[in-house]
């Protein structure tokens, strides 16, 4: 019988990759907390209506990439392909009465039925943030600044740039779209099938075209800036001014657009300028009309961003950032006798309680076999306890880096090793610092 393999386009995350993922989550969480964001997790499944109302039926996500599920009562559900609509749904259900605006971040798995390839998976993780309820250009700038701070903290500062643009309001866009359609009306013979489809169904996306012929034509196309109202221009100018105050370098790119109706004003994208890839790592957007499109009676201003964790992890791994391995075994106990095993077992526990990463060799195979294992797991020190050592309450301590060996009394062993390993490599965590004990309220009998 064949053993079932993992589902195409999905991956197991373990070992070094998992360590990078943890690092990225830690850096992001720290940056978000510094900026007053708290974490939100939304369900993986939502009713299909939510996604249909929030994302046009015509987009690739809805037409091809959705993971749909029919539950046992024949309800159509969809696995989260992006988080913004999920969070807006949750906001309307839970947070309307909270102090506004609300600041939420998420680190969540997402699902899209795409053709799997490098950096494109069917299950992937996004890290993102949303600020809901306020329309203020400083928030757009602040989100871009947070994103940049995350990249700075993981030492990718020189390889990325942020591209920004304004796509104003949907009304202004409508007028521009008409002008764009008129411009291309007698140039359709120069467009490929993809761009023709875009022109028909979602004309702004033609500005995103990768086709060099279309890009050439676009140089002569009407410019969006000619269709803007004063307020929209002022909003965009303010975002740029705040970015300058916050010290964020940006590049303006008027071809940067997003097709959906509810997007407005600022859009931005983080792109790799190091030459490693053409793909964007993530992008951000203002979406003041989303609440209305999913059925809320009024518009609710909001701004957010999302980046792909896997893409970023693979960038970090390919760049010069090498993570310390905190799971390395600092002290490995080899025991050559049942009595020795009984002696080293509590020592192993005590080592862990002193935040020294230690492990005990199992069973009692030969010294050679146990030593081989110690080598294989890259143990930093090995404490060998044989019959004589057990009787004299000592061990032979081997430094696996220098190859030297010395006899050490068991009562001194842990402190001795702790002084030799890097103090900052000890894995400190004290759960007691994370809670307070609350006295139960006594009720009168
Ligand atoms: P999107 O909502 O498609 O713009 O995605 C936002 C970010 O998520 C992208 O810039 C990618 O970094 C990441 N992303 C999107 N789709 C995938 C995927 N299939 N696999 C891995 N990362 C993805």
């Amino acid at each position: 019988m064949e053993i079932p393999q993992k589902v195409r386009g999905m991956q197991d995350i373990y070992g070094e990759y998992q360590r990078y993922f943890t690092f990225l989550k830690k850096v992001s969480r720290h940056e978000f907390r510094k900026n007053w964001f708290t974490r939100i997790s939304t369900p993986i499944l939502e009713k299909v209506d939510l996604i249909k109302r929030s994302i046009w039926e015509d987009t690739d996500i809805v037409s091809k990439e959705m993971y749909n599920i029919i539950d046992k009562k024949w309800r159509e559900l969809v696995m989260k392909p992006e988080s913004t609509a999920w969070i807006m749904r949750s906001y309307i259900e839970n947070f309307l009465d909270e102090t506004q605006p609300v600041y939420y971040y998420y680190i969540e798995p997402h699902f899209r039925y795409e053709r799997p390839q490098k950096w494109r998976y069917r299950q992937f993780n996004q890290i993102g943030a949303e600020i809901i309820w306020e329309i203020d250009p400083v928030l757009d700038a602040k989100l871009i600044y947070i994103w940049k701070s995350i990249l700075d903290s993981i030492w990718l500062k020189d390889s990325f740039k942020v591209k920004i643009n304004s796509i104003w309001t949907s009304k202004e866009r409508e007028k521009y779209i008409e002008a764009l359609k008129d411009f291309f009306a007698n140039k359709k013979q120069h467009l490929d099938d993809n761009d023709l489809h875009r022109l028909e169904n979602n004309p702004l996306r033609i500005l995103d075209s990768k086709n060099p012929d279309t890009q050439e034509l676009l140089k002569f196309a009407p410019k969006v800036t000619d269709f803007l109202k004063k307020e929209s221009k002022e909003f965009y100018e303010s975002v740029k001014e705040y970015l300058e105050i916050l010290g964020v370098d940006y590049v303006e790119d008027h071809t940067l657009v997003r097709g959906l109706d509810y997007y407005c004003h600022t859009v931005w994208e983080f792109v790799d300028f190091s030459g490693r890839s053409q793909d964007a790592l993530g992008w951000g957007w203002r979406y003041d009309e989303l609440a209305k499109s999913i059925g809320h009676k009024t518009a609710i201003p909001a701004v957010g961003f999302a980046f792909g964790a896997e893409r970023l992890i693979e960038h970090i791994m390919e760049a010069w950032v090498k993570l310390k391995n905190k799971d390395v075994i600092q002290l490995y106990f080899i025991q050559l006798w049942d009595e020795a095993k009984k002696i080293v077992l509590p020592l192993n526990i005590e080592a862990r309680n002193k935040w020294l990463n230690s492990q005990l060799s199992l069973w009692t195979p030969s010294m050679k076999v146990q030593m081989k294992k110690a080598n294989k797991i890259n143990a930093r020190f090995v404490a060998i306890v044989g019959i004589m050592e057990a009787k004299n309450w000592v061990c032979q301590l081997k430094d696996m880096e220098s190859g030297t060996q010395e006899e050490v009394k068991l009562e001194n062993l842990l402190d001795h090793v702790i002084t030799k390993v890097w103090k900052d490599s000890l894995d400190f965590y004290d759960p007691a610092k994370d809670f307070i004990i609350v006295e139960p309220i006594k009720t009168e009998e």
Side-chain angles (χ1 to χ4, degrees):
M1 198 167 48
E2 234 177 70
I3 299 170
Q5 304 266 299
K6 69 174 188 276
V7 174
R8 194 165 125 81
M10 311 219 163
Q11 42 173 5
D12 301 312
I13 298 182
Y14 56 90
E16 203 188 13
Y17 203 104
Q18 185 66 265
R19 281 195 283 120
Y20 277 86
F21 192 21
T22 306
F23 169 65
L24 185 57
K25 286 194 267 192
K26 260 168 105 172
V27 171
S28 310
R29 174 174 164 265
H30 179 69
E31 208 50 53
F32 287 130
R33 286 182 63 198
K34 261 191 346 200
N35 288 284
W36 220 47
F37 285 76
T38 50
R39 186 164 172 179
I40 184 166
S41 291
T42 48
I44 298 233
L45 293 174
E46 291 273 356
K47 294 175 186 153
V48 75
D49 275 356
L50 177 68
I51 202 81
K52 285 196 172 156
R53 286 182 198 182
S54 64
I55 303 183
W56 279 356
E57 293 253 10
D58 177 58
T59 60
D60 282 351
I61 291 185
V62 171
S63 56
K64 297 186 252 157
E65 296 172 4
M66 272 205 309
Y67 262 98
N68 302 50
I69 285 179
I70 305 290
D71 76 4
K72 289 186 174 161
K73 290 202 168 161
W74 300 102
R75 285 172 293 221
E76 192 180 0
L77 304 174
V78 58
M79 288 168 80
K80 177 164 37 187
E82 57 100 46
S83 272
T84 305
W86 265 230
I87 291 177
M88 186 50 93
R89 195 270 310 135
S90 172
Y91 172 86
I92 295 168
E93 246 177 271
N94 304 306
F95 309 127
L96 283 169
D97 294 332
E98 277 198 15
T99 314
Q100 308 290 341
V102 298
Y103 296 76
Y104 281 101
Y105 78 94
Y106 58 89
I107 303 174
E108 299 272 293
H110 293 75
F111 304 84
R112 290 186 198 169
Y113 199 85
E114 297 192 86
R115 200 169 65 78
Q117 51 188 290
K118 187 175 158 82
W119 291 356
R120 203 160 279 285
Y121 307 106
R122 288 185 174 171
Q123 176 174 340
F124 60 98
N125 292 281
Q126 276 187 354
I127 301 182
E130 319 282 347
I131 305 176
I132 308 181
W133 189 252
E134 202 74 74
I135 178 150
D136 186 329
V138 79
L139 297 177
D140 307 41
K142 211 172 153 192
L143 276 182
I144 299 174
Y145 168 79
I146 292 172
W147 216 133
K148 181 191 168 288
S149 306
I150 293 173
L151 292 182
D152 283 355
S153 323
I154 54 179
W155 283 81
L156 287 178
K157 48 184 138 202
D158 297 327
S159 46
F160 290 93
K161 280 222 161 60
V162 54
K163 285 195 209 166
I164 66 164
N165 191 23
S166 170
I167 51 169
W168 343 286
T169 60
S170 52
K171 286 209 176 72
E172 288 161 329
R173 270 200 315 266
E174 264 167 38
K175 290 198 179 130
Y176 177 56
I177 286 171
E178 282 314 307
L180 211 53
K181 279 183 167 168
D182 286 349
F183 172 79
F184 278 106
N186 56 1
K187 299 179 185 61
K188 288 186 182 166
Q189 68 276 21
H190 302 296
L191 300 179
D192 62 21
D193 287 350
N194 210 355
D195 286 341
L196 272 175
H197 181 79
R198 286 174 167 182
L199 190 64
E200 288 298 315
N201 298 289
N202 197 349
L204 278 181
R205 290 210 53 211
I206 208 162
L207 302 181
D208 240 352
S209 169
K210 300 279 178 282
N211 185 326
D213 292 340
T214 314
Q215 282 174 359
E216 200 49 41
L217 281 174
L218 282 170
K219 289 185 186 157
F220 305 96
K223 295 280 166 291
V224 102
T225 31
D226 302 334
F227 294 79
L228 288 188
K229 281 198 178 141
K230 189 167 149 269
E231 303 83 66
S232 291
K233 278 187 183 155
E234 279 173 5
F235 193 94
Y236 185 47
E237 289 310 311
S238 300
V239 173
K240 289 192 285 182
E241 199 182 334
Y242 288 127
L243 284 176
E244 275 147 37
I245 293 171
L246 292 170
V248 179
D249 284 337
Y250 59 84
V251 184
E252 280 184 83
D253 179 351
H254 296 306
T255 65
L256 191 64
V257 287
R258 293 286 155 173
L260 305 187
D261 250 3
Y262 58 78
Y263 291 124
C264 61
H265 299 296
T266 331
V267 285
W268 68 91
E269 197 166 76
F270 270 80
V271 280
D272 182 1
F273 271 58
S274 69
R276 275 196 298 275
S277 105
Q278 301 295 314
D279 284 315
L281 277 191
W283 64 287
W285 57 91
R286 180 162 274 287
Y287 55 100
D288 297 350
E289 300 284 331
L290 171 64
K292 246 174 138 175
S293 40
I294 65 174
H296 190 65
K297 49 189 181 310
T298 55
I300 300 177
V303 58
F305 74 73
F307 62 86
E310 282 77 1
R311 276 191 206 169
L312 200 49
I313 291 168
E314 285 157 39
H315 267 273
I316 314 172
M317 290 174 86
E318 282 175 18
W320 57 90
V321 179
K322 288 281 161 268
L323 285 191
K324 293 180 193 165
N325 183 357
K326 288 197 174 170
D327 297 324
V328 77
I329 296 297
Q330 292 154 319
L331 180 60
Y332 190 68
F333 288 101
I334 286 182
Q335 34 76 29
L336 299 166
W337 184 38
D338 268 358
E339 286 311 306
K341 194 170 177 179
K342 287 177 195 160
I343 291 171
V344 292
L345 175 65
L347 267 178
N348 175 220
I349 305 277
E350 200 187 329
R352 289 279 176 174
N353 289 340
K354 290 189 167 184
W355 296 291
L356 189 65
N357 218 349
S358 88
Q359 222 186 66
L360 169 63
S361 172
L362 300 175
W363 307 109
T364 313
S366 71
M367 165 87 169
K368 201 170 151 204
V369 171
Q370 296 194 54
M371 213 47 193
K372 219 168 152 188
K373 172 105 183 266
N375 261 315
K376 208 167 166 193
I377 61 172
N378 271 327
R380 178 68 187 83
F381 286 92
V382 176
I384 305 155
V385 185
I387 298 174
M388 284 312 292
E389 284 82 10
K391 284 186 174 152
N392 297 327
W393 212 252
V394 293
C395 72
Q396 302 303 325
L397 182 68
K398 184 156 186 186
D399 181 331
M400 301 294 275
E401 247 172 51
S402 66
T404 54
Q405 192 166 306
E406 59 183 320
E407 188 169 286
V408 179
K409 286 187 179 161
L410 286 180
E411 67 257 36
N412 299 334
L413 174 67
L414 301 182
D415 290 338
H416 187 71
V417 175
I418 286 171
T419 55
K420 290 195 173 236
V421 295
W422 284 94
K423 188 102 188 167
D424 69 1
S425 69
L426 299 181
D427 203 4
F428 288 99
Y429 174 62
D430 185 357
K433 291 207 170 125
D434 277 346
F435 62 85
I436 44 170
I437 296 170
V438 187
E439 291 284 328
I441 301 164
K442 290 196 181 101
T443 48
E444 296 284 322
E445 300 240 322

